[in-house]
Amino acid sequence: SSVTPRTSFLSSGESAFGGCCRERPAGYNLSTAEPQRSGSSRFWDMAEKNRKEKELLLVDANSLIHRAFHALPPLTDKSGEPIQAIYGVASILLKIWKERRPSHAAALFDRPEPTFREQEYPEYKAQRPPTPSELIAQIKEAHALFGAFGVKTAEAPGFEADDLIATLAERFSGEEGVRIVILTGDLDSLQLVRGDRILVRILKRGVSETEIYDEAAVERRFGLSPGALPDYKALAGDQCDNIRGV
């Protein structure tokens, strides 16, 4: 389905990254020593650019939580409460933090209330079964998990996490020296890819493998540019979201 930037999600007076994301802790340095250079100058120019570039990580929280819940066997904590979704999301974040800790990050959540899509099209996602109670408890607990990683969380009644991600991606895409990476298991987010400034990191298998999509990768997979994907979905339909197509 098409995602909708919500322009009112952030006030126009907020400065870049204000109110939703968190800077690196004091004293944190991506690289404390200059590497010994070998190979082409182009490679090192790109490496230097990536080292200096800030990264805004936008996490589709519900997508990650659902993927972890269904991909991992049932796990419980010492009090007997289900914990596999929390464990899986923590594993994903730890892997990313070890590879390259983002300079800024926000996790966006769905809300239980109907969204504007259900109001316009009542059959939207109508085929999906109710969320299990043991998963609901872990969705609530996930806010604390993201907080432990220094990641701010946000949600808005009537909108999906996708819409808030689109809002933030659009808001900060013009910031100089900032690359935006969207972490999700939902291919709908590929419509937001823009050059090498907005990338999407898709969970590929379970919670252990991911694949990064830029515009070229989207075109290789679908034969279409990212901006054409909403029209493609409208014509072809989307069984996952109960969109019939033409």
Side-chain angles (χ1 to χ4, degrees):
S1 61
S2 176
V3 296
T4 304
R6 184 178 183 228
T7 55
S8 61
F9 178 60
L10 293 176
S11 67
S12 59
E14 289 181 19
S15 60
F17 307 110
C20 68
C21 308
R22 183 173 184 266
E23 292 279 2
R24 285 194 183 100
Y28 180 84
N29 193 348
L30 186 63
S31 177
T32 57
E34 284 294 322
Q36 183 177 357
R37 299 196 171 198
S38 61
S40 70
S41 59
R42 179 175 179 272
F43 170 84
W44 285 106
D45 289 343
M46 292 177 63
E48 181 68 11
K49 177 183 176 183
N50 289 337
R51 186 177 73 85
K52 293 180 177 179
E53 193 173 44
K54 293 181 179 179
E55 180 178 301
L56 170 59
L57 178 67
L58 300 176
V59 181
D60 186 345
N62 286 74
S63 177
L64 264 64
I65 295 165
H66 278 267
R67 175 66 68 92
F69 180 80
H70 293 290
L72 298 176
L75 300 172
T76 58
D77 60 17
K78 60 183 179 181
S79 62
E81 296 297 323
I83 202 70
Q84 74 264 31
I86 297 297
Y87 176 83
V89 173
S91 298
I92 296 169
L93 295 178
L94 285 170
K95 179 181 179 181
I96 292 174
W97 258 235
K98 288 179 180 179
E99 291 175 0
R100 179 186 178 184
R101 179 170 181 157
S103 54
H104 307 78
L108 295 312
F109 281 80
D110 294 335
R111 291 279 303 173
E113 301 92 347
T115 70
F116 71 93
R117 292 183 177 85
E118 281 91 349
Q119 295 174 2
E120 295 181 7
Y121 179 60
E123 292 82 9
Y124 179 66
K125 296 185 179 180
Q127 85 288 7
R128 295 190 181 185
T131 304
S133 59
E134 59 269 27
L135 176 54
I136 293 175
Q138 294 183 74
I139 292 173
K140 294 177 180 178
E141 185 63 29
H143 288 79
L145 172 67
F146 284 111
F149 277 84
V151 177
K152 296 292 186 179
T153 63
E155 54 191 37
F159 293 87
E160 297 182 59
D162 289 346
D163 301 311
L164 304 188
I165 287 171
T167 299
L168 291 172
E170 179 68 21
R171 172 69 185 272
F172 295 118
S173 61
E175 295 285 339
E176 185 177 354
V178 177
R179 181 176 64 175
I180 298 168
V181 178
I182 299 167
L183 176 63
T184 181
D186 189 350
L187 291 174
D188 285 346
S189 294
L190 294 179
Q191 65 189 269
L192 299 174
V193 170
R194 187 184 304 168
D196 61 353
R197 307 306 304 167
I198 303 179
L199 307 176
V200 174
R201 186 168 186 166
I202 293 284
L203 293 174
K204 189 177 179 182
R205 182 178 302 169
V207 295
S208 60
E209 295 183 21
T210 60
E211 184 174 0
I212 296 178
Y213 281 82
D214 56 11
E215 284 194 16
V218 173
E219 292 179 1
R220 282 195 300 270
R221 175 160 183 169
F222 293 97
L224 298 168
S225 66
L229 290 180
D231 291 335
Y232 168 75
K233 284 288 187 77
L235 292 170
D238 188 339
Q239 186 176 4
C240 182
D241 289 341
N242 202 35
I243 297 173
R244 297 177 183 178
V246 177

